Amino acid sequence: DTGVSQNPRHKITKRGQNVTFRCDPISEHNRLYWYRQTLGQGPEFLTYFQNEAQLEKSRLLSDRFSAERPKGSFSTLEIQRTEQGDSAMYLCASSASRRTSTDTQYFGPGTRLTVL
Amino acid sequence: GQSLEQPSEVTAVEGAIVQINCTYQTSGFYGLSWYQQHDGGAPTFLSYNALDGLEETGRFSSFLSRSDSYGYLLLQELQMKDSASYFCARGGATNKLIFGTGTLLAVQP
């Protein structure tokens, strides 16, 4: 399977705990994105990497959130001191940069986070 | 602003044709993408329009009118498996996607 993969698929944690999610993009894709989706809403952009450089962060990404892509391949998203409002589906997407138009982004299956 | 508006729900019968509309605000607009998402699944790319006109991919077509800040997704020969949420999403200079609120399509026998 050469699609985007995410682990874990589900995570239940208690408020105040730290969690970390991993995303493995499609191997030839140099761009990687994190989105968050809550029930009944569209995905909301969190952050974006081109290779190992984090080029944009949403205002949704508070100080408790940090993302890395250390070697320009897989990425991790960490949430510290989780709150109940962090409960959501966290989606990762990847794309290959194209000079002439918006990239097509391919999404992984997501990690569903439940904060108790 | 960069918001997108879609109808919240659409219902149609098997074999029919359905159109899902999307209006957007023009600031920084590059193009319009469409994604399908089944309950509990990942968004799946369907179509993309950067220029005015119709793009056809099998039973699905997408249309864009930049002058009207409007696009639509057309689904033909509806099948039960097409029951899902459909999102339009706008792209811009930074490549992040801004998604609409989604349209829940229910296909009935």
Side-chain angles (χ1 to χ4, degrees), chain A residues 31 33 35 37 40-43 45 48 56 91 102-105 107-109, chain B residues 30-31 35 37 40 42-43 45 48 87 91-92 94-97 99-101:
Chain A
R31 289 181 172 165
Y33 310 79
Y35 292 84
Q37 186 176 27
Q41 300 296 316
F45 171 78
Y48 141 63
E56 187 172 354
L91 293 162
T102 302
D103 307 346
T104 296
Q105 296 183 22
F107 283 79
Chain B
Y30 272 40
Y35 283 80
Q37 187 176 30
F45 174 77
Y48 173 71
F87 294 92
T94 62
N95 287 293
K96 70 183 181 188
L97 289 174
F99 284 81
T101 50

Side-chain angles (χ1 to χ4, degrees), chain B residues 19-40:
Chain B
Q19 178 173 314
I20 298 173
N21 299 322
C22 174
T23 57
Y24 61 87
Q25 296 181 347
T26 58
S27 174
F29 178 83
Y30 272 40
L32 196 69
S33 300
W34 288 91
Y35 283 80
Q36 177 192 63
Q37 187 176 30
H38 286 98
D39 192 28

Side-chain angles (χ1 to χ4, degrees), chain A residues 4-92:
Chain A
V4 178
S5 62
Q6 293 186 245
N7 288 287
R9 295 291 308 277
H10 303 272
K11 179 69 177 178
I12 300 174
T13 191
K14 293 182 179 179
R15 189 176 54 188
Q17 298 295 305
N18 300 343
V19 294
T20 300
F21 310 141
R22 176 178 170 127
C23 171
D24 288 87
I26 294 171
S27 59
E28 62 268 26
H29 285 181
N30 61 337
R31 289 181 172 165
L32 187 148
Y33 310 79
W34 285 99
Y35 292 84
R36 180 171 68 186
Q37 186 176 27
T38 53
L39 195 63
Q41 300 296 316
E44 295 175 296
F45 171 78
L46 293 178
T47 190
Y48 141 63
F49 291 84
Q50 179 155 315
N51 301 313
E52 65 274 12
Q54 188 173 19
L55 297 187
E56 187 172 354
K57 291 169 61 174
S58 164
R59 284 173 292 178
L60 291 175
L61 216 64
S62 75
D63 291 346
R64 298 184 296 106
F65 288 70
S66 62
E68 294 183 342
R69 194 182 184 198
K71 298 182 179 179
S73 57
F74 74 92
S75 175
T76 57
L77 177 68
E78 181 182 16
I79 309 174
Q80 296 183 328
R81 304 181 303 282
T82 52
E83 301 173 356
Q84 288 183 325
D86 298 331
S87 296
M89 177 75 85
Y90 289 84
L91 293 162
C92 176

Side-chain angles (χ1 to χ4, degrees), chain B residues 47-80:
Chain B
S47 188
Y48 173 71
N49 296 74
L51 303 174
D52 286 0
L54 193 67
E55 293 284 339
E56 297 181 76
T57 309
R59 295 188 297 114
F60 296 169
S61 304
S62 60
F63 172 82
L64 179 67
S65 169
R66 297 176 74 105
S67 59
D68 296 321
S69 302
Y70 161 76
Y72 65 73
L73 179 70
L74 193 72
L75 297 85
Q76 301 181 72
E77 302 172 15
L78 280 176
Q79 302 175 9
M80 296 296 291

Side-chain angles (χ1 to χ4, degrees), chain A residues 85-116:
Chain A
D86 298 331
S87 296
M89 177 75 85
Y90 289 84
L91 293 162
C92 176
S94 70
S95 70
S97 58
R98 293 162 58 186
R99 283 182 289 176
T100 58
S101 64
T102 302
D103 307 346
T104 296
Q105 296 183 22
Y106 296 90
F107 283 79
T111 295
R112 181 168 295 283
L113 173 66
T114 302
V115 181
L116 301 176

